Amino acid sequence: MNKLKMGIFLIILGNILYLSYIFFTGNETSSFGEFTNGLLLGLSVGINFMGIIISIIYIAREKK
């Protein structure tokens, strides 16, 4: 059950990071602004992906 909670937490965290990416994306013209926007987007996608993988693995093992 602990891995399922961790997977769900990671999915929620990834969605929060994506919302912050959408909120902070504006007319950024500096390189640093573009870098931070890309970093937020990459982290949100990666964390979501890891949360989904962990949740799927836990559910598959529990069905055995």
Side-chain angles (χ1 to χ4, degrees):
M1 189 67 170
N2 193 18
K3 287 189 178 184
L4 182 63
K5 287 181 184 178
M6 184 174 62
I8 292 172
F9 173 74
L10 287 175
I11 292 170
I12 292 171
L13 180 64
N15 288 334
I16 290 171
L17 285 173
Y18 183 71
L19 288 175
S20 66
Y21 163 75
I22 290 172
F23 180 73
F24 290 122
T25 301
N27 295 330
E28 300 292 331
T29 56
S30 67
S31 297
F32 181 73
E34 291 178 8
F35 171 75
T36 55
N37 286 338
L39 185 66
L40 274 174
L41 181 62
L43 282 174
S44 69
V45 170
I47 290 174
N48 260 331
F49 187 66
M50 290 303 297
I52 291 169
I53 295 290
I54 290 171
S55 299
I56 289 173
I57 289 172
Y58 175 79
I59 291 170
R61 287 186 180 170
E62 284 298 311
K63 286 197 173 190
K64 286 185 179 180

